[in-house]
Amino acid sequence: MPRSGRSRRHPFVVLTILWCSVAAFVWWALHNTDLGRPTGFFPSNFWSSGGFSWKQTKKEKFRILHIVTTLRLYDNGQRGTTDGSDRLAKVLLPCLSLFLQSIRQQQPKWEVDVYIILGESKLESHRRKLIEDSLPPGVGLQIWVDAMPLHYDYNNGQITPASHALARQHRFVIRDKLNEYDFFSAWEDDMAITANHIEYFVHMTNQIESIRKSLQKQQQQVGYSFTPDNPKTFHGPMHADQLERVVPGFIRVEVLSDGSTSQPVLDPISIAPDTPSIHADICCSSTSSSSSSSTSKPALLQLADNVVLWETSIEAIGVRQFPEPIGWAGLLIGIQPADNKNATIGSFWSGEDGAFGEGVTRPGRKGEMMAQQAGFMATRAQIDLFQNKCPGGFLPPFDSDFWNGNGGLKPQNVEFWSGGYQLFGRCFLQRIVSLDPPKFSRQLLFHSANNKQRTIDVQRMVKANNLLGQMHTVRNNATKHLEESLSKK
């Protein structure tokens, strides 16, 4: 019975009022802040304006899942390898240690876990311990042993291992771990990934996202109009739908060994005078992140001159002037979406002035021009975007009509799953690379096996310095065309 002169509220009423208050706040937050937006992109104040130093607040974590796929623990002598060589000790672990050491030295607040996908059916305890002992304290480890999928081989009428689809398995890992991490890094076992790559990838991703949001606000204004790009548009206003498709790209490189050479005949685009060298200490100086600081400048310049790529060339590249702070950038091979003209991204092709011959057009999805990455990295928000943009989806169960009932086991292969054929040849994503040497160097990935130079036609072995200088020439040609067109108005 309530006391005289004072009413007592029933506990249910109090709880109802509290619940309504919380619900009202959540509704306001979702509609008036970035809380309702998928996580994965990071506030611009994470970065200092003067470079690539990461500014992380005490309350915000950056959680990375680094996924490595390896077919076997010992090489079999194929594709430029040495039969019986210990691939785990000589390839996978040095790359993994480089990755973890670079993060520990440059970004000690990042939280990293490792997931290894192994195609072999057995991992002996002493081999597992070798992996565990290579990890710094605080790094989690999971290993999927016997991850090789099976498929029905119509040629021999049997169920057989689908080694071509082992590269698909990281998608199941990402699907399973999607809400546990902010960033995903998934690569073949011989790719030397470092903190430099992740820092710049997120840095450029934030720049792209900032431009997209700014354009989106402009498009909401009364009287806004936009003229879509045609394939040859290389400057002028851009649309938010274009920026939504843009991602930072990577190019695999090697360092020439004794007896190996780069292309003897330069592709018919000159190298712009005074183009600065790439920074070999960023991409390729060593598999030990602590040794590059002691390497002399002349030695690094010599090393930079021996850095070569083989999976694209200037013939495949165009340039476009993006809104600042990106500015001029190179565009790797990609495809345009047919259902949204506002999303078309044009470029000034390197052969626009006839350098490759009369009637020659820009190459499409040619294997030797595709700049296959042997993996990818992405924020959680970008994974969501891939899932929405890719025909058939980016993550399992791969059961739509696009997969023809094969679940991604046929005809899809390594190049589709990890090389980039799906992301950049099916999902309408457009990769860009910087023309600034230090930034461009952060988009070069060292292929630590360093064996492609022994199996690839030497004319395809392009010096990274030469490609950078040729992109500068193409940019200069585009600028000249722009100036001439403006002078005629």
Side-chain angles (χ1 to χ4, degrees):
M1 199 174 165
R3 295 179 183 175
S4 177
R6 183 181 298 177
S7 63
R8 178 182 295 171
R9 293 183 178 178
H10 194 280
F12 176 78
V13 176
V14 175
L15 290 174
T16 301
I17 294 172
L18 288 173
W19 185 91
C20 291
S21 299
V22 171
F25 172 77
V26 171
W27 184 94
W28 175 88
L30 289 173
H31 289 78
N32 294 278
T33 72
D34 282 337
L35 292 177
R37 193 167 173 277
T39 59
F41 294 107
F42 299 94
S44 59
N45 63 4
F46 272 28
W47 297 90
S48 69
S49 59
F52 303 104
S53 61
W54 184 281
K55 290 185 176 180
Q56 185 171 349
T57 66
K58 293 181 180 180
K59 294 183 179 180
E60 292 169 322
K61 294 180 179 180
F62 188 46
R63 299 162 297 177
I64 301 172
L65 181 62
H66 185 62
I67 307 169
V68 179
T69 299
T70 185
L71 177 61
R72 55 180 59 90
L73 299 177
Y74 292 91
D75 284 324
N76 62 0
Q78 298 179 5
R79 304 180 71 178
T81 63
T82 301
D83 188 24
S85 179
D86 190 339
R87 190 172 185 89
L88 174 64
K90 295 181 179 180
V91 177
L92 190 156
L93 289 183
C95 286
L96 181 59
S97 296
L98 172 67
F99 175 75
L100 296 173
Q101 288 172 18
S102 70
I103 288 179
R104 195 172 191 184
Q105 291 173 8
Q106 296 174 221
Q107 303 296 346
K109 292 184 179 180
W110 288 1
E111 299 179 4
V112 183
D113 290 331
V114 172
Y115 200 113
I116 295 176
I117 299 173
L118 175 60
E120 294 188 352
S121 60
K122 184 178 180 181
L123 177 64
E124 296 177 347
S125 58
H126 72 279
R127 302 286 274 173
R128 182 184 182 96
K129 188 174 188 306
L130 190 65
I131 300 172
E132 293 172 345
D133 290 346
S134 72
L135 304 180
V139 175
L141 173 67
Q142 283 187 266
I143 304 177
W144 181 359
V145 180
D146 197 18
M148 186 76 71
L150 303 176
H151 75 140
Y152 184 80
D153 189 336
Y154 288 92
N155 294 325
N156 59 26
Q158 296 180 354
I159 295 176
T160 61
S163 59
H164 63 278
L166 180 65
R168 180 198 67 166
Q169 305 301 68
H170 69 269
R171 304 295 177 87
F172 291 90
V173 176
I174 293 175
R175 177 64 180 264
D176 184 47
K177 307 289 187 180
L178 187 59
N179 294 321
E180 298 178 29
Y181 297 91
D182 305 299
F183 195 85
F184 297 87
S185 173
W187 302 93
E188 295 174 15
D189 61 359
D190 54 9
M191 298 309 301
I193 311 301
T194 70
N196 287 321
H197 297 115
I198 295 180
E199 284 179 344
Y200 186 64
F201 182 91
V202 178
H203 175 67
M204 183 178 264
T205 295
N206 279 340
Q207 289 182 329
I208 294 168
E209 175 66 359
S210 178
I211 295 170
R212 187 196 68 81
K213 292 174 70 174
S214 177
L215 293 174
Q216 197 172 47
K217 289 181 180 179
Q218 294 177 24
Q219 290 159 205
Q220 295 171 352
Q221 296 177 1
V222 177
Y224 170 84
S225 63
F226 176 74
T227 301
D229 276 12
N230 64 59
K232 294 188 176 183
T233 303
F234 63 90
H235 64 91
M238 297 192 73
H239 195 278
D241 290 355
Q242 293 173 300
L243 273 295
E244 186 181 47
R245 295 178 48 218
V246 176
V247 293
F250 292 104
I251 301 174
R252 289 201 290 176
V253 296
E254 290 188 353
V255 177
L256 290 175
S257 303
D258 292 341
S260 297
T261 60
S262 61
Q263 57 178 190
V265 180
L266 190 70
D267 291 326
I269 299 291
S270 62
I271 298 171
D274 301 323
T275 303
S277 171
I278 66 167
H279 290 213
D281 56 324
I282 293 176
C283 70
C284 316
S285 64
S286 175
T287 53
S288 173
S289 62
S290 61
S291 64
S292 61
S293 60
S294 60
T295 306
S296 66
K297 185 174 181 180
L300 286 174
L301 289 174
Q302 178 64 38
L303 178 64
D305 195 50
N306 286 322
V307 174
V308 293
L309 54 103
W310 64 95
E311 289 186 307
T312 192
S313 72
I314 194 63
E315 184 181 356
I317 294 176
V319 298
R320 197 199 198 284
Q321 187 178 33
F322 284 79
E324 294 297 336
I326 293 177
W328 287 97
L331 280 72
L332 303 178
I333 282 180
I335 61 172
Q336 307 286 2
D339 60 347
N340 182 1
K341 297 300 182 183
N342 286 339
T344 296
I345 304 174
S347 64
F348 184 90
W349 176 47
S350 58
E352 189 65 32
D353 293 328
F356 297 101
E358 185 178 352
V360 176
T361 59
R362 186 175 181 179
R365 291 174 289 178
K366 293 174 62 176
E368 64 268 25
M369 298 287 187
M370 193 67 185
Q372 298 179 53
Q373 298 182 170
F376 65 92
M377 56 181 65
T379 66
R380 192 190 312 156
Q382 286 172 322
I383 297 293
D384 290 338
L385 177 69
F386 301 165
Q387 180 68 7
N388 291 327
K389 294 293 184 182
C390 295
F394 183 75
L395 300 176
F398 308 126
D399 57 356
S400 71
D401 292 343
F402 176 84
W403 305 103
N404 295 318
N406 293 314
L409 293 175
K410 188 178 180 181
Q412 291 77 22
N413 56 13
V414 176
E415 285 73 23
F416 179 90
W417 293 111
S418 67
Y421 266 98
Q422 184 191 25
L423 281 174
F424 314 121
R426 293 283 188 176
C427 303
F428 312 105
L429 298 177
Q430 178 59 64
R431 291 168 292 173
I432 63 173
V433 293
S434 175
L435 303 188
D436 176 71
K439 296 176 183 177
F440 178 66
S441 302
R442 287 170 167 82
Q443 296 183 267
L444 301 178
L445 303 177
F446 180 51
H447 179 237
S448 70
N450 217 43
N451 57 5
K452 295 296 183 181
Q453 58 197 281
R454 299 199 294 268
T455 60
I456 299 293
D457 180 6
V458 66
Q459 185 56 33
R460 286 179 54 190
M461 305 305 292
V462 180
K463 287 188 176 183
N465 269 335
N466 289 352
L467 180 67
L468 180 60
Q470 289 171 319
M471 288 196 293
H472 277 236
T473 294
V474 177
R475 188 268 315 275
N476 295 341
N477 292 342
T479 302
K480 183 179 178 181
H481 276 254
L482 176 57
E483 291 173 348
E484 289 175 352
S485 65
L486 292 175
S487 66
K488 294 178 182 179
K489 293 183 179 180

